Every structure is written in C-alpha cells, then in structure tokens.
Amino acid sequence: MRSRRRALDELDEERLVRLVARGDRGAFDELYRRTSPWLAVRLRRRCADEQIVAEVMQETYLAVWRAAGAFAGSAVGGTAVGWLWTIAARRLVDAFRRRAHHAEPPVAAAERAVVPAAEDEALAGTVGGDVGDALRRLAPELREVLQAMVLDGFSVRETAVLLRLPEGTVKTRARRARIAMREALA
C-alpha cells in the first residue's frame, strides 16, 4: 500500500487524471489530497458561504470522477489543475444562479449598508497600499481579468475559459488594466 502511495506521489496531476479516467480510486484520492486545499481557498476567495463552497467542492470532484476521460490536457495546451478549476468555477456560477433563483433577499437586507464582496476583502488583504487602491478602482471586468492572471496565476487561455471570454478579449482587458494601473500609480 505504501509503495503504491509513493508511486502516486511521484505522478503529476495530468497523469493522475488519466488514471482516474480508468477508474483508479487511489489516483482519485491522491488528486483530491493534492488539489482540494488549493481549490477550497480559491473558491473561498470568490464566495464567503461555506455551504456553497462545500457543495461546489463535492460537485467538482464528482464531475472529475465522471468526466476524467474527457480531459484533453496538454494535447490542447491545458493543465489538469486548470481543467479542475474550470469545472469548479462553472459549478460555483451554477450554485450562485440556483441560490439567486430560489432566494429573495429579506427586506432588512435592502436597508443595510453595502458589504464588500468576499473577493474584494481577499484582495484588500492580499494587496494593500496604493496598488490595492488602484486595483479596487479598476472597472470590475478589468479587475477580474487582472486578478485571474496575476493573483491566481492563470494563463490567458485559462482565464478565457474561466471567465467565458474570447482570448482576444482577455488580452485586451489585461492590457487596459495594466495601462490603468500604471496611470493610477504614476
């Protein structure tokens, strides 16, 4: 058992997904062990509701187990981690849509002051000072592209998939965001 675990420890995530596609439970467990802490943190950056995060995590890994055979990987320039994040991001959007469809805000909620989004709070904790202020002043569509590419470390392609935008749009928004940041910090 230990030698099997050590063997799985040496495989990269793409290879683990390929083994999961063949129904390898040990590979799935190893993929989950490696990626679930990271994935939970990323989801929490976008959603403060632990119930939704737990639901999305469960749905994501269920989808990975069921759809691992559809993973194209490096053959199309993707990564296993990027693929996993794309699944999770889509599940998160779906969860937000379900929640919005089924819930009406209480009357008292309309009277309360606007509370900053979880993403903005995480951003404020990560990036402070003049840079943080400049980032928060960016238009939301520019900020989300910059956040995905710079703070989350996604490539243009992964950002395009995550945000469901054409790659050219991602590049344009990233350029506009960099120009706006330069001007704000000058």
Side-chain angles (χ1 to χ4, degrees):
M1 184 69 171
R2 284 187 178 173
S3 62
R4 167 89 169 128
R5 174 136 172 128
R6 260 186 259 139
L8 290 173
D9 279 345
E10 295 175 7
L11 298 176
D12 65 3
E13 287 80 8
E14 183 168 343
R15 184 73 182 124
L16 288 172
V17 171
R18 302 255 182 252
L19 291 172
V20 169
R22 294 187 200 146
D24 187 326
R25 178 62 191 225
F28 179 80
D29 291 344
E30 177 64 17
L31 183 68
Y32 180 84
R33 184 188 67 76
R34 282 188 203 178
T35 60
S36 64
W38 164 87
L39 186 60
V41 167
R42 293 207 179 209
L43 289 169
R44 284 185 191 110
R45 287 170 113 182
R46 287 161 175 75
C47 176
D49 187 332
E50 283 297 319
Q51 183 178 357
I52 291 177
V53 170
E55 179 184 312
V56 169
M57 291 282 291
Q58 183 175 9
E59 290 177 8
T60 298
Y61 284 101
L62 181 60
V64 166
W65 178 256
R66 289 179 175 165
F71 173 63
S74 58
V76 294
T79 65
V81 173
W83 178 69
L84 186 73
W85 173 244
T86 300
I87 293 170
R90 288 180 179 162
R91 296 299 185 277
L92 184 60
V93 169
D94 291 344
F96 285 151
R97 286 180 182 153
R98 279 192 306 271
R99 182 79 37 112
H101 179 72
H102 294 294
E104 285 190 31
V107 176
E111 298 168 3
R112 279 189 237 144
V114 176
V115 176
E119 264 187 355
D120 292 334
E121 288 180 5
L123 189 60
T126 306
V127 181
D130 294 339
V131 174
D133 292 341
L135 253 174
R136 285 183 283 283
R137 284 194 302 264
L138 281 177
E141 67 274 7
L142 301 181
R143 186 174 52 241
E144 72 182 357
V145 167
L146 201 60
Q147 183 172 358
M149 293 180 70
V150 176
L151 297 179
D152 292 338
F154 288 126
S155 68
V156 170
R157 178 174 293 181
E158 290 167 336
T159 301
V161 170
L162 171 67
L163 300 176
R164 295 182 179 164
L165 296 169
E167 285 184 40
T169 302
V170 169
K171 289 177 186 178
T172 300
R173 288 182 182 177
R175 183 175 180 278
R176 286 177 48 210
R178 286 191 299 272
I179 290 169
M181 289 292 291
R182 256 188 245 119
E183 289 173 359
L185 295 171

